[in-house]
Short mmCIF file of all heavy atoms in Angstrom, two decimals:
data_model
loop_
_atom_site.label_atom_id
_atom_site.label_comp_id
_atom_site.label_asym_id
_atom_site.label_seq_id
_atom_site.Cartn_x
_atom_site.Cartn_y
_atom_site.Cartn_z
N TYR A 1 92.26 91.65 85.01
CA TYR A 1 91.71 91.59 86.35
C TYR A 1 92.19 90.34 87.10
O TYR A 1 92.52 90.42 88.27
CB TYR A 1 90.17 91.63 86.27
CG TYR A 1 89.49 91.82 87.61
CD1 TYR A 1 89.38 93.08 88.16
CD2 TYR A 1 88.97 90.73 88.30
CE1 TYR A 1 88.76 93.28 89.38
CE2 TYR A 1 88.34 90.93 89.52
CZ TYR A 1 88.24 92.18 90.06
OH TYR A 1 87.62 92.35 91.27
N PHE A 2 92.25 89.23 86.38
CA PHE A 2 92.68 87.97 87.00
C PHE A 2 94.15 88.06 87.43
O PHE A 2 94.51 87.68 88.54
CB PHE A 2 92.47 86.80 86.03
CG PHE A 2 92.80 85.47 86.63
CD1 PHE A 2 91.90 84.87 87.48
CD2 PHE A 2 94.00 84.84 86.34
CE1 PHE A 2 92.21 83.63 88.05
CE2 PHE A 2 94.30 83.62 86.92
CZ PHE A 2 93.41 83.02 87.77
N VAL A 3 95.00 88.56 86.54
CA VAL A 3 96.44 88.61 86.82
C VAL A 3 96.78 89.66 87.87
O VAL A 3 97.61 89.44 88.73
CB VAL A 3 97.24 88.84 85.52
CG1 VAL A 3 98.69 89.16 85.80
CG2 VAL A 3 97.12 87.64 84.60
N HIS A 4 96.15 90.81 87.78
CA HIS A 4 96.55 91.93 88.63
C HIS A 4 95.74 92.09 89.92
O HIS A 4 96.19 92.79 90.83
CB HIS A 4 96.50 93.25 87.86
CG HIS A 4 97.51 93.31 86.78
ND1 HIS A 4 98.82 93.03 86.96
CD2 HIS A 4 97.37 93.58 85.44
CE1 HIS A 4 99.49 93.15 85.82
NE2 HIS A 4 98.62 93.47 84.87
N ILE A 5 94.57 91.47 90.00
CA ILE A 5 93.76 91.63 91.20
C ILE A 5 93.40 90.29 91.85
O ILE A 5 93.69 90.08 93.02
CB ILE A 5 92.48 92.45 90.90
CG1 ILE A 5 92.89 93.88 90.50
CG2 ILE A 5 91.55 92.47 92.08
CD1 ILE A 5 91.80 94.76 90.03
N ILE A 6 92.82 89.39 91.09
CA ILE A 6 92.34 88.14 91.67
C ILE A 6 93.50 87.29 92.22
O ILE A 6 93.47 86.89 93.38
CB ILE A 6 91.50 87.32 90.67
CG1 ILE A 6 90.19 88.07 90.35
CG2 ILE A 6 91.19 85.94 91.20
CD1 ILE A 6 89.33 87.39 89.30
N MET A 7 94.50 87.01 91.40
CA MET A 7 95.60 86.14 91.85
C MET A 7 96.41 86.77 92.99
O MET A 7 96.70 86.08 93.98
CB MET A 7 96.48 85.74 90.69
CG MET A 7 95.90 84.66 89.83
SD MET A 7 95.36 83.20 90.75
CE MET A 7 96.89 82.53 91.31
N PRO A 8 96.83 88.03 92.91
CA PRO A 8 97.57 88.57 94.05
C PRO A 8 96.75 88.59 95.33
O PRO A 8 97.25 88.28 96.41
CB PRO A 8 97.92 90.01 93.62
CG PRO A 8 97.88 89.98 92.15
CD PRO A 8 96.84 88.97 91.77
N GLN A 9 95.48 88.92 95.22
CA GLN A 9 94.62 88.93 96.41
C GLN A 9 94.47 87.53 96.97
O GLN A 9 94.50 87.34 98.19
CB GLN A 9 93.25 89.50 96.05
CG GLN A 9 92.39 89.77 97.24
CD GLN A 9 92.27 91.22 97.53
OE1 GLN A 9 92.42 92.05 96.62
NE2 GLN A 9 91.98 91.59 98.74
N ALA A 10 94.30 86.54 96.11
CA ALA A 10 94.17 85.15 96.57
C ALA A 10 95.48 84.67 97.23
O ALA A 10 95.44 84.02 98.28
CB ALA A 10 93.81 84.24 95.39
N ILE A 11 96.58 85.05 96.68
CA ILE A 11 97.87 84.65 97.26
C ILE A 11 98.08 85.32 98.62
O ILE A 11 98.47 84.67 99.59
CB ILE A 11 99.03 84.97 96.28
CG1 ILE A 11 98.94 84.03 95.08
CG2 ILE A 11 100.39 84.85 96.98
CD1 ILE A 11 99.84 84.41 93.93
N TRP A 12 97.80 86.64 98.72
CA TRP A 12 97.98 87.34 99.99
C TRP A 12 97.00 86.83 101.06
O TRP A 12 97.38 86.69 102.23
CB TRP A 12 97.82 88.84 99.83
CG TRP A 12 99.00 89.51 99.23
CD1 TRP A 12 99.06 90.16 98.05
CD2 TRP A 12 100.31 89.58 99.79
NE1 TRP A 12 100.33 90.62 97.81
CE2 TRP A 12 101.11 90.28 98.88
CE3 TRP A 12 100.89 89.11 100.95
CZ2 TRP A 12 102.46 90.50 99.10
CZ3 TRP A 12 102.24 89.34 101.20
CH2 TRP A 12 103.00 90.03 100.26
N THR A 13 95.78 86.50 100.67
CA THR A 13 94.82 85.96 101.62
C THR A 13 95.27 84.60 102.12
O THR A 13 95.14 84.26 103.29
CB THR A 13 93.42 85.90 100.99
OG1 THR A 13 93.04 87.21 100.58
CG2 THR A 13 92.39 85.34 101.96
N THR A 14 95.80 83.78 101.20
CA THR A 14 96.31 82.47 101.58
C THR A 14 97.49 82.57 102.53
O THR A 14 97.59 81.84 103.51
CB THR A 14 96.69 81.66 100.32
OG1 THR A 14 95.56 81.61 99.43
CG2 THR A 14 97.14 80.26 100.66
N VAL A 15 98.42 83.49 102.25
CA VAL A 15 99.56 83.71 103.14
C VAL A 15 99.09 84.20 104.51
O VAL A 15 99.57 83.72 105.55
CB VAL A 15 100.57 84.70 102.50
CG1 VAL A 15 101.62 85.15 103.51
CG2 VAL A 15 101.22 84.07 101.28
N ALA A 16 98.13 85.12 104.51
CA ALA A 16 97.59 85.62 105.79
C ALA A 16 96.93 84.49 106.56
O ALA A 16 97.03 84.39 107.79
CB ALA A 16 96.61 86.75 105.56
N THR A 17 96.23 83.60 105.86
CA THR A 17 95.58 82.46 106.51
C THR A 17 96.64 81.55 107.12
O THR A 17 96.50 81.10 108.27
CB THR A 17 94.71 81.69 105.51
OG1 THR A 17 93.72 82.55 105.00
CG2 THR A 17 94.07 80.50 106.17
N ALA A 18 97.69 81.27 106.39
CA ALA A 18 98.74 80.39 106.90
C ALA A 18 99.41 80.97 108.14
O ALA A 18 99.79 80.24 109.06
CB ALA A 18 99.78 80.13 105.82
N VAL A 19 99.53 82.29 108.19
CA VAL A 19 100.20 82.94 109.31
C VAL A 19 99.24 83.17 110.49
O VAL A 19 99.58 82.86 111.65
CB VAL A 19 100.81 84.29 108.85
CG1 VAL A 19 101.34 85.09 110.05
CG2 VAL A 19 101.90 84.05 107.84
N LEU A 20 98.03 83.67 110.23
CA LEU A 20 97.15 84.08 111.29
C LEU A 20 96.13 83.02 111.73
O LEU A 20 95.45 83.22 112.75
CB LEU A 20 96.39 85.34 110.87
CG LEU A 20 97.25 86.55 110.58
CD1 LEU A 20 96.41 87.69 110.07
CD2 LEU A 20 97.98 86.96 111.86
N TYR A 21 96.02 81.92 111.01
CA TYR A 21 95.02 80.94 111.34
C TYR A 21 95.25 80.35 112.74
O TYR A 21 94.31 80.08 113.48
CB TYR A 21 94.99 79.82 110.29
CG TYR A 21 94.01 78.75 110.60
CD1 TYR A 21 92.65 79.00 110.40
CD2 TYR A 21 94.39 77.54 111.11
CE1 TYR A 21 91.72 78.05 110.72
CE2 TYR A 21 93.44 76.58 111.42
CZ TYR A 21 92.12 76.84 111.22
OH TYR A 21 91.19 75.89 111.53
N ARG A 22 96.47 80.12 113.11
CA ARG A 22 96.77 79.57 114.45
C ARG A 22 96.27 80.47 115.57
O ARG A 22 95.84 80.01 116.60
CB ARG A 22 98.27 79.33 114.61
CG ARG A 22 98.85 78.34 113.63
CD ARG A 22 98.60 76.95 114.10
NE ARG A 22 99.23 76.02 113.15
CZ ARG A 22 98.90 74.77 113.05
NH1 ARG A 22 97.97 74.27 113.80
NH2 ARG A 22 99.48 74.01 112.17
N ILE A 23 96.34 81.78 115.35
CA ILE A 23 95.85 82.72 116.35
C ILE A 23 94.33 82.59 116.49
O ILE A 23 93.79 82.52 117.59
CB ILE A 23 96.25 84.17 115.98
CG1 ILE A 23 97.76 84.32 116.00
CG2 ILE A 23 95.57 85.17 116.90
CD1 ILE A 23 98.27 85.60 115.41
N VAL A 24 93.63 82.55 115.36
CA VAL A 24 92.17 82.40 115.39
C VAL A 24 91.81 81.05 116.00
O VAL A 24 90.85 80.95 116.77
CB VAL A 24 91.59 82.57 113.97
CG1 VAL A 24 90.11 82.29 113.96
CG2 VAL A 24 91.88 83.95 113.42
N LEU A 25 92.59 80.02 115.70
CA LEU A 25 92.34 78.70 116.27
C LEU A 25 92.50 78.70 117.78
O LEU A 25 91.67 78.13 118.51
CB LEU A 25 93.30 77.68 115.65
CG LEU A 25 93.19 76.24 116.09
CD1 LEU A 25 91.82 75.67 115.73
CD2 LEU A 25 94.28 75.41 115.48
N SER A 26 93.53 79.35 118.30
CA SER A 26 93.71 79.40 119.77
C SER A 26 92.60 80.20 120.44
O SER A 26 92.14 79.85 121.53
CB SER A 26 95.09 79.96 120.12
OG SER A 26 95.18 81.32 119.81
N ILE A 27 92.14 81.27 119.79
CA ILE A 27 91.01 82.04 120.33
C ILE A 27 89.77 81.18 120.35
O ILE A 27 89.01 81.18 121.34
CB ILE A 27 90.81 83.34 119.52
CG1 ILE A 27 91.97 84.29 119.75
CG2 ILE A 27 89.48 83.99 119.87
CD1 ILE A 27 91.99 85.49 118.83
N ASN A 28 89.54 80.42 119.30
CA ASN A 28 88.39 79.52 119.24
C ASN A 28 88.46 78.46 120.34
O ASN A 28 87.45 78.14 120.97
CB ASN A 28 88.27 78.85 117.87
CG ASN A 28 87.09 77.97 117.75
OD1 ASN A 28 85.98 78.36 118.09
ND2 ASN A 28 87.30 76.76 117.26
N ARG A 29 89.62 77.90 120.59
CA ARG A 29 89.76 76.91 121.64
C ARG A 29 89.47 77.51 123.00
O ARG A 29 88.81 76.88 123.84
CB ARG A 29 91.19 76.35 121.63
CG ARG A 29 91.41 75.36 120.52
CD ARG A 29 92.77 74.76 120.61
NE ARG A 29 92.96 73.81 119.55
CZ ARG A 29 94.11 73.54 119.00
NH1 ARG A 29 95.21 74.13 119.39
NH2 ARG A 29 94.18 72.66 118.01
N ARG A 30 89.92 78.73 123.25
CA ARG A 30 89.63 79.38 124.54
C ARG A 30 88.14 79.62 124.69
O ARG A 30 87.59 79.49 125.77
CB ARG A 30 90.40 80.68 124.64
CG ARG A 30 91.86 80.48 124.88
CD ARG A 30 92.57 81.79 125.06
NE ARG A 30 94.02 81.57 125.10
CZ ARG A 30 94.89 82.41 124.65
NH1 ARG A 30 94.52 83.57 124.12
NH2 ARG A 30 96.17 82.13 124.69
#
């Protein structure tokens, strides 16, 4: 479960955060 679900999900969520966080930040500023 850790190798096939937890780690890939954590990595994809981290990548999504790195990419999409700036968009959420600009919406928050507005």
Side-chain angles (χ1 to χ4, degrees):
Y1 190 81
F2 184 78
V3 169
H4 294 310
I5 295 174
I6 293 176
M7 282 308 292
Q9 190 107 24
I11 291 168
W12 283 116
T13 302
T14 305
V15 169
T17 300
V19 172
L20 298 175
Y21 179 75
R22 298 279 182 200
I23 296 170
V24 175
L25 181 63
S26 69
I27 291 170
N28 182 48
R29 285 184 179 149
R30 287 183 188 147

